[in-house]
Amino acid sequence: MKGFGKSLLFIMGGLAVAWMAGNLLLEVQLPDRSGRRDGFPDPMNPDLSLREVFDLLPDGGGEEIRVSLLDENSMGWVERWRLLAAARERLDIGYFILKQDIFGMAFLGHILHKAHEGLDIRILLDAMGTRMSRTLRGNDYLDTLVNTKKITVRIYRPLPFRYLDAFLTLNPAAIFVSNHDKILLADGMRGMIGGRNISSEYFTSPDDDPQVFRDTDILLVGPMTGERLETIFEAQYMGGEAHRVEREELDLKDSTDDLLLAYRVMDAWLRGGSIPSEIEERIQERDFPWLEELRDMPQLRGALVESEPERTSAEVRLVDSRCRLMEADDFITRSLIRLVRSAREEVFIQSPYLVLPEEAADILEEAAARGVKITVLTNSPLSSDNAMSQGVFLEQWPELLARVPGLRIYVAGDRHNLHSKLAVFDGRLALVGTYNLDPLSMALNSELVAAAWSSPLAGDLLQNRRGFIAEGSPLIYEYLIKRDAEGNPLRDDKGRAIVDFGPEDHIPPEEMKGALRYRKMFHWGWRLFKDSPLL
């Protein structure tokens, strides 16, 4: 027993030393955040106009660039294909999710094709979102890329390091901190950001699959914006949390033929021609499901020969929040606060998840009191891919409607996940990016948003959403609470807002089970969370 006590003390002492040493190394490993952006001179000044707040956003220099809005899934894929094809010198690519379906394989195949043309290519994949980095075949694909000597691949926060960081910081949330940016930048000039990752659910037409996502990207063309986008990419790519995939001395599985085969069949399908029999035979020999996957997506056939999306000129500023493992600085959230407070007419928000702390409700309530119309478009438990966030949403939405005069909440009524992350302020300022209204975006993950000063662009975003809302049930529903003749919310004997129309009125009970379980779990925990200083 005495020996056991000494051993236990020795182990605890060793862990304490390891913890202290690890924390020192962790601070060195994390990127320096000092001096990377200017703060607002008077963040609480309520008299700043929307334009004045926009001018205080970082960088941009007043440059007007060409901008294209990519609302259709097929167009989001085609424009990525065009962007890769047009690159002549270098590519910077960063994604949260990249799957091994026909889209992921063809995307990597196109990258490999460009490397053979002599381009220098840097790729950053998040370890949590990209399972390719954790599978045997996926590692073969990444090994094949880096063995070209023209491509470098880095994995952001591999899983063992996440668990180590959780131990060193005594913070379980460290496991989930991820690089949520989606960046495709060609030649430092043409870039694309937005909500889409690289997999079939983001690029298949909703008409071809009843469960794919509806999402939005934005295409940006301009030298200063490209330079800013490259800086944002490098902040994560060059940081200590990004670990390089090393070249193999002996490549046991060269996947070059597989990747180039995926590239060739996708390129043929997008151009609308017949797929050469030689390609079909090789795909069938290797037992890849790509031909069946493509035939299930007829709207993509020939899409590359169609006209490019309309472009407009806009002043654009890129606003980023880097991964926050050691500090909670969230520049996007702070910018959103100022923008809502400076709005005078209308705020329209679309977010896949709606999990708001108390301060956010206060800010929306203040805006509504000034006469600002506020509309939120989000998912219902039927369309959402996150039952946990829906559990909080079920607890929260009636009280939001009760507290914020004139607020209108619309939800998807089918299984198509509304994955776009965007906002429009006063019909003049449009935001498109990766930022969700949830704790992961507000407090942990890296996020990226393009803020565009453009009435035409803002108008297009609003027109598309209003047209969608106008479709009505069963595609879209408005959630309502009961009110008296003067419009005041009615409450039950426990003080809760009384629901007039909500999820239970359009979703079968069996589809609500997951969200309801989390709602019970969060019923008491929400009281703690809503007062957390996330903003």
Side-chain angles (χ1 to χ4, degrees), residues 160-182:
F161 292 92
R162 292 173 184 253
Y163 294 116
L164 177 61
D165 289 345
F167 165 70
L168 296 177
T169 61
L170 299 181
N171 181 6
I175 297 172
F176 303 101
V177 177
S178 295
N179 176 33
H180 197 238
D181 299 346
K182 290 95 174 175

Side-chain angles (χ1 to χ4, degrees), residues 65-85:
I65 66 171
R66 288 176 291 163
V67 177
S68 295
L69 183 65
L70 307 175
D71 258 339
E72 294 182 6
N73 285 359
S74 59
M75 188 60 71
W77 177 246
V78 169
E79 288 309 302
R80 279 171 173 80
W81 204 256
R82 284 180 173 144
L83 203 63
L84 291 174

Side-chain angles (χ1 to χ4, degrees), residues 340-476:
V340 172
R341 283 179 169 159
S342 65
R344 294 294 179 265
E345 301 167 16
E346 179 183 15
V347 174
F348 185 99
I349 298 170
Q350 181 175 344
S351 175
Y353 318 113
L354 190 66
V355 181
L356 299 180
E358 182 74 14
E359 292 89 336
D362 291 341
I363 293 162
L364 293 178
E365 191 174 2
E366 292 170 8
R370 297 195 308 271
V372 177
K373 296 187 296 183
I374 303 172
T375 304
V376 174
L377 176 60
T378 187
N379 283 301
S380 71
L382 187 63
S383 63
S384 179
D385 61 344
N386 190 324
M388 183 179 294
S389 70
Q390 282 294 316
V392 179
F393 176 63
L394 292 179
E395 182 75 10
Q396 187 181 55
W397 73 264
E399 186 61 25
L400 278 175
L401 287 177
R403 286 186 52 183
V404 182
L407 170 65
R408 304 188 75 171
I409 296 177
Y410 296 92
V411 302
D414 60 13
R415 294 189 180 278
H416 291 302
N417 184 293
L418 300 181
H419 201 254
S420 302
K421 307 98 163 40
L422 57 89
V424 178
F425 298 87
D426 291 350
R428 292 185 288 276
L429 176 61
L431 270 58
V432 177
T434 68
Y435 180 94
N436 298 305
L437 289 177
D438 72 356
L440 286 176
S441 290
M442 293 177 184
L444 297 175
N445 291 343
S446 72
E447 305 290 351
L448 176 59
V449 171
W453 189 267
S454 168
S455 294
L457 184 69
D460 286 345
L461 277 175
L462 284 176
Q463 181 179 3
N464 293 347
R465 271 78 207 160
R466 285 170 175 162
F468 182 67
I469 289 172
E471 292 282 337
S473 64
L475 183 64
I476 201 86

Side-chain angles (χ1 to χ4, degrees), residues 317-329:
R317 297 176 182 269
L318 294 171
V319 188
D320 73 306
S321 292
R322 298 180 191 171
C323 289
R324 284 142 283 155
L325 184 59
M326 300 289 286
E327 57 184 75
D329 175 38

Side-chain angles (χ1 to χ4, degrees), residues 55-67:
D55 287 338
L56 289 170
L57 296 177
D59 298 330
E63 177 192 30
E64 285 213 356
I65 66 171
R66 288 176 291 163
V67 177

